[in-house]
């Protein structure tokens, strides 16, 4: 034991001592855990002393609260971690708390009634008779925006929740069905239309413009909104009532 202590005492920098310890950590396992805002130094730079030089030491980003069941640590470093809240956008989440909210639009007066799970109740008048609902997160702030598609003119009218301004897009024609979803993985919903007469999907990125059309579906199919393979990109999908 004295011999081991003598060896450790020759190290001049605590950085190397930490690296040596991390290299000999074996697999550990345990029961319940909770991590709240743990931070380990960011690392980087160069440290030297005696007969060693350490370049680009490993650091650890800040993690949010994690709670879970059993855990296993197979090395000396934790993974990057994740926040305790929702890490993926939720459809019809108007207040950005990660939970879907109850919402209806009354065609007779074009009033949207939003019962938000955190922000509470609110109402907004938006659209005209004949418009189709097209709510989605167009401005990328993590909240669903109130929006409509007007088949008679092929226009989209969006209320941006981030700054309460509105944006108008021209994309589509009478008979098209709006299916807004993020097709280019930039965190913002894109203008996607399904044309029942030809079973063709027409996507347009809100950032870069028209994307490649896709023919998928059959007569009577209903377009569906969703990221079914969890890759961050909205998928082309239909429900076939027959």
């Amino acid at each position: 034991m004295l011999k081991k202590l003598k060896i450790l005492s020759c190290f001049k920098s605590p950085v190397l001592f930490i690296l040596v310890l991390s290299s000999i950590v074996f697999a550990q396992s345990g029961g319940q855990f909770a991590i709240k805002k743990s931070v380990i130094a960011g690392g980087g730079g160069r440290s030297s002393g005696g007969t060693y030089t350490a370049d680009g030491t490993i650091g650890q980003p800040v993690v949010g609260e994690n709670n879970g069941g059993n855990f296993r640590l197979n090395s000396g470093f934790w993974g990057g971690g994740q926040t305790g809240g929702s890490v993926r956008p939720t459809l019809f989440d108007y207040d950005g708390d990660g939970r879907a909210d109850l919402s209806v639009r009354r065609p007779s007066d074009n009033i949207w009634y939003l019962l938000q799970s955190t922000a509470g109740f609110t109402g907004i008048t938006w659209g005209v008779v004949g418009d189709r609902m097209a709510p989605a997160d167009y401005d990328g702030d993590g909240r669903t925006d109130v929006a409509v598609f007007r088949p008679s003119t092929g226009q989209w009218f969006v209320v941006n929740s981030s700054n309460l301004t509105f944006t108008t897009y021209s994309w589509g024609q009478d008979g098209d069905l709006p299916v807004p979803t993020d097709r280019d993985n930039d965190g913002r919903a894109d203008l996607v239309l399904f044309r029942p007469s030809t079973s063709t999907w027409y996507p347009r990125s809100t950032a870069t413009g028209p994307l490649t059309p896709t023919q998928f579906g059959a007569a009577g199919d209903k377009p569906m909104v969703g990221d079914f393979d969890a890759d961050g990109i909205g998928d082309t999908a239909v429900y076939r009532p027959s």
Side-chain angles (χ1 to χ4, degrees):
M1 183 65 182
L2 291 177
K3 185 175 181 181
K4 290 183 179 179
L5 290 175
K6 185 179 296 184
I7 292 174
L8 291 176
S9 67
C10 71
F11 295 130
K12 303 299 183 181
S13 170
V15 174
L16 182 62
F17 180 63
I18 292 173
L19 292 176
V20 170
L21 284 180
S22 66
S23 66
I24 61 173
V25 172
F26 299 102
Q28 301 177 49
S29 60
Q32 297 293 322
F33 71 96
I35 303 174
K36 296 185 178 181
K37 290 297 180 185
S38 297
V39 182
I40 299 178
R46 168 177 290 198
S47 180
S48 61
T51 59
Y52 75 89
T53 298
D55 286 303
T57 55
I58 298 175
Q60 170 75 23
V62 176
V63 298
E65 181 175 349
N66 271 310
N67 290 281
N70 292 328
F71 71 93
R72 183 175 178 84
L73 177 62
N74 289 312
S75 69
F77 301 97
W78 289 97
Q82 65 182 38
T83 62
S86 174
V87 296
R88 298 184 59 79
T90 300
L91 291 176
F92 310 116
D93 176 14
Y94 291 91
D95 56 6
D97 65 353
R99 293 179 290 178
D101 302 313
L102 300 178
S103 59
V104 296
R105 172 177 171 262
R106 191 165 293 164
S108 60
D109 54 16
N110 298 300
I111 297 180
W112 297 61
Y113 297 89
L114 312 178
L115 183 57
Q116 302 164 107
S117 52
T118 296
F121 173 79
T122 188
I124 178 174
T125 301
W126 192 249
V128 299
V129 175
D131 287 351
R132 292 185 176 274
M133 296 177 65
D137 182 12
Y138 295 91
D139 54 7
D141 67 347
R143 293 179 291 174
T144 298
D145 303 317
V146 171
V148 296
F149 169 66
R150 189 163 297 165
S152 60
T153 62
Q155 290 178 295
W156 300 63
F157 299 91
V158 178
V159 180
N160 301 297
S161 55
S162 58
N163 54 19
L164 297 182
T165 61
F166 74 90
T167 305
T168 302
Y169 302 95
S170 294
W171 185 249
Q173 65 183 39
D174 197 8
D176 290 346
L177 300 177
V179 197
T181 186
D182 184 5
R183 285 299 185 93
D184 54 9
N185 200 21
D186 66 351
R188 297 182 296 173
D190 298 309
L191 313 179
V192 182
L193 291 166
F194 175 68
R195 190 163 295 167
S197 60
T198 60
S199 298
T200 304
W201 297 69
Y202 295 93
R204 174 186 171 180
S205 168
T206 52
T208 61
L211 303 173
T212 304
T214 302
Q215 192 168 27
F216 185 78
D221 286 352
K222 307 296 183 183
M224 304 295 293
V225 177
D227 176 14
F228 296 93
D229 54 4
D231 64 351
I233 301 176
D235 299 314
T236 299
V238 296
Y239 166 66
R240 187 160 295 164
S242 61

